[in-house]
Amino acid sequence: MVETVQWTEDGVVMIDQTRLPREEVYVTCRDYREVAEAIRSMVVRGAPAIGVSAAMGVALGVLKASEEDLDGQVEVICETLAATRPTAVNLFWAIDRMKRLYASLRHLPLSEIRERMVKEAQQIKQEDIAINQAIGRFGADLVPDGKTVLTHCNAGALATAGYGTALGVIRAAVAAGKRIDVFADETRPFLQGARLTAWELQQDGIPTTLITDNMAGHFLKSGRIGCVVVGADRIAANGDVANKVGTYSVAVLAKENNVPFYVAAPISTLDMTLESGDQIPIEQRSPSEVTHVFGVEVAPPGISVENPAFDVTPSRYVTAIITERGVARPPYTESLRKLVSMPASALP
Ligand code: MRU
């Protein structure tokens, strides 16, 4: 399977997701600022993958930092990485985890701090793969045999450290012997579905059909889709889900047509400090992503454009939230709180 983000002796190596599927090019970030730029420009994207990348960015920053005013340097490194993308909470979760570790190590010699910070970032990556596999195991049971699964955006190996959340559920269902195929929304404007999900699933040999976003309703009505599975960028305490723009429309259409709508996400995507999805910050991206397709202008110059990268699906449209600790169902205020406070010994 593709290596999304890797720690190497030369720096943090990422597959350039802006160039897939036409070219498989790897970029090496040799400095934390380059990691921040890779996250901002979506060389790496997807909530868990940007969390892992940010953790590696902090480690890289500390590795290159000098002895003098290390606290101040770590602060700047973390602030720079945190200022890249506002919606996916995994970014802030990973930076906080690295910050907390640093605070517990700061009395130690710099060489030891560096070693422990690098290890922690690698650990976050390994944990993410195991978490996705656990999500897959819980989710596979929910996928109906012999039907089509609809997904939006890319919540696969490319969006995580490996295996994927929504695509992890699909992979686990296929591994369990379920005969399923996938419909992938192309996901305008950045085309994560067409460029990344279609590529990833094709590589795995999972039968996949690409559709444009506006075809989802047509197919949800047809009876052919057994369930929808998507990832998430941030989930509020009441179960409202921020995910790639267009997810909300799919969720409403799924409910209208009695198709279960599942969200697959790690516990690190839960933001229990937010009561509802109304408080989730929504990233606004460049108008050129809408007016241009691969550098070709497809709209009249000067046209007014909106480009929110995410939308919020109210929890009433979400049939269940699949995490590495189990499946949460409504009412989410209770079920999510239970999952978050689960003792570590109860984890799979
Ligand atoms: O803008 P992106 O490509 O980073 O958005 C990605 C998504 O919306 C994914 O569905 C989400 O991060 C979950 S990835 C496991």
Side-chain angles (χ1 to χ4, degrees):
M1 194 169 297
V2 62
E3 281 273 7
T4 309
V5 193
Q6 298 170 72
W7 180 269
T8 73
E9 288 205 336
D10 296 332
V12 181
V13 175
M14 303 167 179
I15 188 162
D16 187 344
Q17 300 195 32
T18 64
R19 291 161 81 168
L20 282 171
R22 288 177 301 168
E23 288 175 297
E24 272 180 58
V25 182
Y26 288 82
V27 296
T28 305
C29 302
R30 293 187 163 80
D31 175 80
Y32 77 88
R33 292 177 202 85
E34 289 179 10
V35 175
E37 189 43 41
I39 296 172
R40 189 176 298 109
S41 62
M42 291 172 69
V43 164
V44 65
R45 33 68 48 205
I50 63 178
V52 171
S53 304
M56 289 188 179
V58 176
L60 195 56
V62 172
L63 203 60
K64 302 267 167 102
S66 57
E67 203 101 37
E68 199 189 326
D69 188 22
L70 188 57
D71 287 0
Q73 291 178 75
V74 170
E75 199 52 42
V76 171
I77 293 165
C78 291
E79 273 172 16
T80 306
L81 287 157
T84 51
R85 297 194 72 191
T87 304
V89 77
N90 310 58
L91 176 75
F92 309 104
W93 171 87
I95 293 170
D96 278 353
R97 180 163 156 178
M98 295 299 282
K99 255 190 189 168
R100 270 185 277 118
L101 178 68
Y102 171 73
S104 73
L105 301 174
R106 54 188 290 278
H107 61 283
L108 296 173
L110 182 52
S111 59
E112 201 167 322
I113 297 177
R114 285 176 172 152
E115 194 184 315
R116 296 274 298 275
M117 297 289 279
V118 171
K119 263 208 187 122
E120 185 77 358
Q122 287 171 315
Q123 171 77 14
I124 290 176
K125 174 179 167 170
Q126 289 318 317
E127 282 174 16
D128 187 56
I129 299 171
I131 284 168
N132 293 333
Q133 287 164 344
I135 290 173
R137 283 193 293 275
F138 282 117
D141 291 343
L142 303 175
V143 175
D145 193 14
K147 289 276 206 176
T148 299
V149 180
L150 175 68
T151 191
H152 188 74
C153 194
N154 173 267
L158 288 165
T160 61
Y163 203 65
T165 54
L167 298 195
V169 169
I170 290 168
R171 289 193 163 102
V174 170
K178 291 196 171 169
R179 294 150 305 157
I180 54 171
D181 71 318
V182 178
F183 268 31
D185 281 350
E186 70 168 345
T187 319
R188 270 281 285 156
F190 211 71
L191 299 172
Q192 288 94 331
R195 297 190 302 102
L196 309 176
T197 297
W199 180 76
E200 238 193 90
L201 293 177
Q202 202 176 50
Q203 294 227 325
D204 268 16
I206 297 174
T208 303
T209 303
L210 177 63
I211 59 171
T212 63
D213 301 326
N214 48 358
M215 294 174 189
H218 170 77
F219 286 109
L220 281 162
K221 193 157 153 270
S222 71
R224 183 168 168 179
I225 312 278
C227 69
V228 178
V229 189
V230 296
D233 288 84
R234 199 186 291 223
I235 301 173
N238 70 345
D240 289 352
V241 173
N243 190 48
K244 180 52 56 196
V245 70
T247 302
Y248 174 37
S249 324
V250 175
V252 173
L253 286 161
K255 189 167 179 120
E256 163 74 12
N257 292 286
N258 294 315
V259 175
F261 180 88
Y262 298 119
V263 174
I267 293 290
S268 56
T269 302
L270 300 181
D271 186 348
M272 302 302 276
T273 68
L274 303 185
E275 261 174 52
S276 88
D278 296 343
Q279 295 155 286
I280 298 176
I282 301 293
E283 177 182 8
Q284 306 294 321
R285 291 193 64 88
S286 162
S288 66
E289 290 179 358
V290 177
T291 53
H292 289 65
V293 178
F294 292 110
V296 177
E297 198 165 20
V298 294
I303 190 74
S304 162
V305 171
E306 292 278 354
N307 187 15
F310 301 96
D311 61 22
V312 175
T313 299
S315 61
R316 64 181 177 277
Y317 295 107
V318 180
T319 310
I321 298 174
I322 308 159
T323 76
E324 71 273 26
R325 297 185 185 177
V327 177
R329 291 189 183 266
Y332 290 111
T333 317
E334 281 167 36
S335 59
L336 292 178
R337 193 161 13 98
K338 260 193 205 148
L339 286 185
V340 170
S341 55
M342 236 181 188
S345 56
L347 304 182

PDB file of all heavy atoms in Angstrom, residues 42 45-48 85 153-155 159-160 165 192 231-233 243-244 310, ligand 1:
ATOM      1  N   MET A  42      -1.792  21.246   0.332  1.00  0.00           N
ATOM      2  CA  MET A  42      -2.458  19.949   0.154  1.00  0.00           C
ATOM      3  C   MET A  42      -1.625  18.916  -0.608  1.00  0.00           C
ATOM      4  O   MET A  42      -2.173  18.031  -1.254  1.00  0.00           O
ATOM      5  CB  MET A  42      -3.861  20.138  -0.436  1.00  0.00           C
ATOM      6  CG  MET A  42      -4.777  20.798   0.584  1.00  0.00           C
ATOM      7  SD  MET A  42      -6.395  21.317   0.010  1.00  0.00           S
ATOM      8  CE  MET A  42      -7.212  19.770  -0.274  1.00  0.00           C
ATOM      9  N   ARG A  45      -2.958  15.687   2.637  1.00  0.00           N
ATOM     10  CA  ARG A  45      -4.269  16.159   3.081  1.00  0.00           C
ATOM     11  C   ARG A  45      -5.018  14.984   3.682  1.00  0.00           C
ATOM     12  O   ARG A  45      -4.543  13.857   3.635  1.00  0.00           O
ATOM     13  CB  ARG A  45      -5.055  16.868   1.967  1.00  0.00           C
ATOM     14  CG  ARG A  45      -4.889  16.418   0.548  1.00  0.00           C
ATOM     15  CD  ARG A  45      -5.422  15.050   0.221  1.00  0.00           C
ATOM     16  NE  ARG A  45      -6.756  14.835   0.709  1.00  0.00           N
ATOM     17  CZ  ARG A  45      -7.260  13.655   0.975  1.00  0.00           C
ATOM     18  NH1 ARG A  45      -6.554  12.540   0.790  1.00  0.00           N
ATOM     19  NH2 ARG A  45      -8.488  13.517   1.427  1.00  0.00           N
ATOM     20  N   GLY A  46      -6.193  15.284   4.252  1.00  0.00           N
ATOM     21  CA  GLY A  46      -6.926  14.260   4.984  1.00  0.00           C
ATOM     22  C   GLY A  46      -6.578  14.417   6.464  1.00  0.00           C
ATOM     23  O   GLY A  46      -5.397  14.538   6.806  1.00  0.00           O
ATOM     24  N   ALA A  47      -7.625  14.439   7.324  1.00  0.00           N
ATOM     25  CA  ALA A  47      -7.425  14.823   8.724  1.00  0.00           C
ATOM     26  C   ALA A  47      -6.319  14.032   9.446  1.00  0.00           C
ATOM     27  O   ALA A  47      -5.382  14.622   9.985  1.00  0.00           O
ATOM     28  CB  ALA A  47      -8.753  14.726   9.461  1.00  0.00           C
ATOM     29  N   PRO A  48      -6.371  12.685   9.448  1.00  0.00           N
ATOM     30  CA  PRO A  48      -5.316  11.973  10.188  1.00  0.00           C
ATOM     31  C   PRO A  48      -3.933  12.161   9.565  1.00  0.00           C
ATOM     32  O   PRO A  48      -2.931  12.271  10.278  1.00  0.00           O
ATOM     33  CB  PRO A  48      -5.762  10.504  10.119  1.00  0.00           C
ATOM     34  CG  PRO A  48      -7.233  10.565   9.856  1.00  0.00           C
ATOM     35  CD  PRO A  48      -7.425  11.759   8.980  1.00  0.00           C
ATOM     36  N   ARG A  85      -4.169  24.746   8.388  1.00  0.00           N
ATOM     37  CA  ARG A  85      -5.547  24.445   7.975  1.00  0.00           C
ATOM     38  C   ARG A  85      -6.431  24.429   9.235  1.00  0.00           C
ATOM     39  O   ARG A  85      -6.084  23.769  10.211  1.00  0.00           O
ATOM     40  CB  ARG A  85      -5.616  23.094   7.229  1.00  0.00           C
ATOM     41  CG  ARG A  85      -4.818  23.112   5.924  1.00  0.00           C
ATOM     42  CD  ARG A  85      -5.170  21.929   5.044  1.00  0.00           C
ATOM     43  NE  ARG A  85      -6.486  22.051   4.471  1.00  0.00           N
ATOM     44  CZ  ARG A  85      -7.116  21.055   3.839  1.00  0.00           C
ATOM     45  NH1 ARG A  85      -6.528  19.868   3.721  1.00  0.00           N
ATOM     46  NH2 ARG A  85      -8.322  21.236   3.319  1.00  0.00           N
ATOM     47  N   CYS A 153     -15.185  12.265  -1.225  1.00  0.00           N
ATOM     48  CA  CYS A 153     -13.811  12.716  -0.960  1.00  0.00           C
ATOM     49  C   CYS A 153     -12.868  11.515  -0.875  1.00  0.00           C
ATOM     50  O   CYS A 153     -13.150  10.461  -1.472  1.00  0.00           O
ATOM     51  CB  CYS A 153     -13.736  13.551   0.317  1.00  0.00           C
ATOM     52  SG  CYS A 153     -12.181  14.463   0.496  1.00  0.00           S
ATOM     53  N   ASN A 154     -11.757  11.671  -0.199  1.00  0.00           N
ATOM     54  CA  ASN A 154     -10.841  10.542   0.005  1.00  0.00           C
ATOM     55  C   ASN A 154     -10.571  10.391   1.491  1.00  0.00           C
ATOM     56  O   ASN A 154      -9.982  11.278   2.114  1.00  0.00           O
ATOM     57  CB  ASN A 154      -9.517  10.733  -0.737  1.00  0.00           C
ATOM     58  CG  ASN A 154      -8.522   9.624  -0.372  1.00  0.00           C
ATOM     59  OD1 ASN A 154      -7.721   9.786   0.544  1.00  0.00           O
ATOM     60  ND2 ASN A 154      -8.605   8.495  -1.038  1.00  0.00           N
ATOM     61  N   ALA A 155     -11.054   9.295   2.057  1.00  0.00           N
ATOM     62  CA  ALA A 155     -10.777   8.970   3.455  1.00  0.00           C
ATOM     63  C   ALA A 155     -10.087   7.607   3.450  1.00  0.00           C
ATOM     64  O   ALA A 155     -10.494   6.667   4.115  1.00  0.00           O
ATOM     65  CB  ALA A 155     -12.070   8.950   4.259  1.00  0.00           C
ATOM     66  N   ALA A 159      -5.276   9.607   3.023  1.00  0.00           N
ATOM     67  CA  ALA A 159      -5.759  10.617   3.967  1.00  0.00           C
ATOM     68  C   ALA A 159      -5.333  10.308   5.397  1.00  0.00           C
ATOM     69  O   ALA A 159      -5.674  11.036   6.329  1.00  0.00           O
ATOM     70  CB  ALA A 159      -7.283  10.699   3.887  1.00  0.00           C
ATOM     71  N   THR A 160      -4.615   9.198   5.556  1.00  0.00           N
ATOM     72  CA  THR A 160      -4.223   8.727   6.889  1.00  0.00           C
ATOM     73  C   THR A 160      -2.765   8.251   6.799  1.00  0.00           C
ATOM     74  O   THR A 160      -2.124   8.411   5.765  1.00  0.00           O
ATOM     75  CB  THR A 160      -5.117   7.534   7.315  1.00  0.00           C
ATOM     76  OG1 THR A 160      -4.931   6.465   6.352  1.00  0.00           O
ATOM     77  CG2 THR A 160      -6.594   7.894   7.347  1.00  0.00           C
ATOM     78  N   THR A 165      -9.879   5.413   6.849  1.00  0.00           N
ATOM     79  CA  THR A 165     -11.018   5.312   7.774  1.00  0.00           C
ATOM     80  C   THR A 165     -12.228   4.765   6.990  1.00  0.00           C
ATOM     81  O   THR A 165     -12.542   3.588   7.091  1.00  0.00           O
ATOM     82  CB  THR A 165     -11.317   6.684   8.419  1.00  0.00           C
ATOM     83  OG1 THR A 165     -11.494   7.661   7.381  1.00  0.00           O
ATOM     84  CG2 THR A 165     -10.185   7.106   9.327  1.00  0.00           C
ATOM     85  N   GLN A 192     -10.685  15.009  -4.981  1.00  0.00           N
ATOM     86  CA  GLN A 192     -10.076  13.931  -4.181  1.00  0.00           C
ATOM     87  C   GLN A 192     -10.670  12.574  -4.536  1.00  0.00           C
ATOM     88  O   GLN A 192      -9.990  11.554  -4.428  1.00  0.00           O
ATOM     89  CB  GLN A 192     -10.289  14.185  -2.679  1.00  0.00           C
ATOM     90  CG  GLN A 192      -9.465  15.317  -2.105  1.00  0.00           C
ATOM     91  CD  GLN A 192     -10.236  16.627  -2.107  1.00  0.00           C
ATOM     92  OE1 GLN A 192     -11.094  16.850  -2.949  1.00  0.00           O
ATOM     93  NE2 GLN A 192      -9.916  17.495  -1.175  1.00  0.00           N
ATOM     94  N   GLY A 231     -15.463   9.849   5.764  1.00  0.00           N
ATOM     95  CA  GLY A 231     -14.598  10.186   6.890  1.00  0.00           C
ATOM     96  C   GLY A 231     -15.092  11.462   7.561  1.00  0.00           C
ATOM     97  O   GLY A 231     -16.208  11.921   7.291  1.00  0.00           O
ATOM     98  N   ALA A 232     -14.252  12.051   8.409  1.00  0.00           N
ATOM     99  CA  ALA A 232     -14.624  13.306   9.071  1.00  0.00           C
ATOM    100  C   ALA A 232     -13.377  14.110   9.393  1.00  0.00           C
ATOM    101  O   ALA A 232     -12.294  13.546   9.569  1.00  0.00           O
ATOM    102  CB  ALA A 232     -15.397  13.024  10.355  1.00  0.00           C
ATOM    103  N   ASP A 233     -13.553  15.412   9.446  1.00  0.00           N
ATOM    104  CA  ASP A 233     -12.459  16.319   9.825  1.00  0.00           C
ATOM    105  C   ASP A 233     -12.586  16.801  11.257  1.00  0.00           C
ATOM    106  O   ASP A 233     -11.600  17.122  11.909  1.00  0.00           O
ATOM    107  CB  ASP A 233     -12.403  17.513   8.872  1.00  0.00           C
ATOM    108  CG  ASP A 233     -11.886  17.040   7.527  1.00  0.00           C
ATOM    109  OD1 ASP A 233     -12.693  16.545   6.726  1.00  0.00           O
ATOM    110  OD2 ASP A 233     -10.658  17.109   7.321  1.00  0.00           O
ATOM    111  N   ASN A 243     -17.060  17.500   7.329  1.00  0.00           N
ATOM    112  CA  ASN A 243     -16.295  16.700   6.359  1.00  0.00           C
ATOM    113  C   ASN A 243     -16.294  17.478   5.041  1.00  0.00           C
ATOM    114  O   ASN A 243     -16.893  18.558   4.931  1.00  0.00           O
ATOM    115  CB  ASN A 243     -16.911  15.305   6.206  1.00  0.00           C
ATOM    116  CG  ASN A 243     -16.013  14.372   5.417  1.00  0.00           C
ATOM    117  OD1 ASN A 243     -14.809  14.271   5.681  1.00  0.00           O
ATOM    118  ND2 ASN A 243     -16.546  13.691   4.416  1.00  0.00           N
ATOM    119  N   LYS A 244     -15.620  16.934   4.063  1.00  0.00           N
ATOM    120  CA  LYS A 244     -15.478  17.600   2.754  1.00  0.00           C
ATOM    121  C   LYS A 244     -16.812  18.157   2.265  1.00  0.00           C
ATOM    122  O   LYS A 244     -17.842  17.488   2.357  1.00  0.00           O
ATOM    123  CB  LYS A 244     -14.916  16.577   1.759  1.00  0.00           C
ATOM    124  CG  LYS A 244     -14.700  17.091   0.356  1.00  0.00           C
ATOM    125  CD  LYS A 244     -13.888  18.363   0.292  1.00  0.00           C
ATOM    126  CE  LYS A 244     -12.536  18.259   0.966  1.00  0.00           C
ATOM    127  NZ  LYS A 244     -11.917  19.589   1.228  1.00  0.00           N
ATOM    128  N   PHE A 310     -15.261  22.621   3.530  1.00  0.00           N
ATOM    129  CA  PHE A 310     -15.985  21.623   4.326  1.00  0.00           C
ATOM    130  C   PHE A 310     -17.419  22.085   4.558  1.00  0.00           C
ATOM    131  O   PHE A 310     -17.715  23.270   4.415  1.00  0.00           O
ATOM    132  CB  PHE A 310     -15.286  21.431   5.691  1.00  0.00           C
ATOM    133  CG  PHE A 310     -13.851  20.991   5.528  1.00  0.00           C
ATOM    134  CD1 PHE A 310     -12.828  21.919   5.559  1.00  0.00           C
ATOM    135  CD2 PHE A 310     -13.527  19.668   5.303  1.00  0.00           C
ATOM    136  CE1 PHE A 310     -11.498  21.536   5.362  1.00  0.00           C
ATOM    137  CE2 PHE A 310     -12.213  19.271   5.104  1.00  0.00           C
ATOM    138  CZ  PHE A 310     -11.197  20.201   5.140  1.00  0.00           C
TER     139      PHE A 310
HETATM  140  O1  MRU B   1      -9.452  18.962   2.141  1.00  0.00           O
HETATM  141  P1  MRU B   1      -9.058  17.543   2.438  1.00  0.00           P
HETATM  142  O2  MRU B   1      -8.736  16.736   1.242  1.00  0.00           O
HETATM  143  O3  MRU B   1      -7.984  17.488   3.504  1.00  0.00           O
HETATM  144  O4  MRU B   1     -10.377  16.933   3.082  1.00  0.00           O
HETATM  145  C1  MRU B   1     -10.365  15.594   3.474  1.00  0.00           C
HETATM  146  C2  MRU B   1     -11.664  15.111   3.976  1.00  0.00           C
HETATM  147  O5  MRU B   1     -12.640  15.827   4.041  1.00  0.00           O
HETATM  148  C3  MRU B   1     -11.699  13.697   4.493  1.00  0.00           C
HETATM  149  O6  MRU B   1     -12.937  13.108   4.268  1.00  0.00           O
HETATM  150  C4  MRU B   1     -11.418  13.702   5.999  1.00  0.00           C
HETATM  151  O7  MRU B   1     -10.250  14.432   6.282  1.00  0.00           O
HETATM  152  C5  MRU B   1     -11.293  12.350   6.553  1.00  0.00           C
HETATM  153  S1  MRU B   1      -9.839  11.545   6.035  1.00  0.00           S
HETATM  154  C6  MRU B   1      -9.704  10.052   6.799  1.00  0.00           C
END
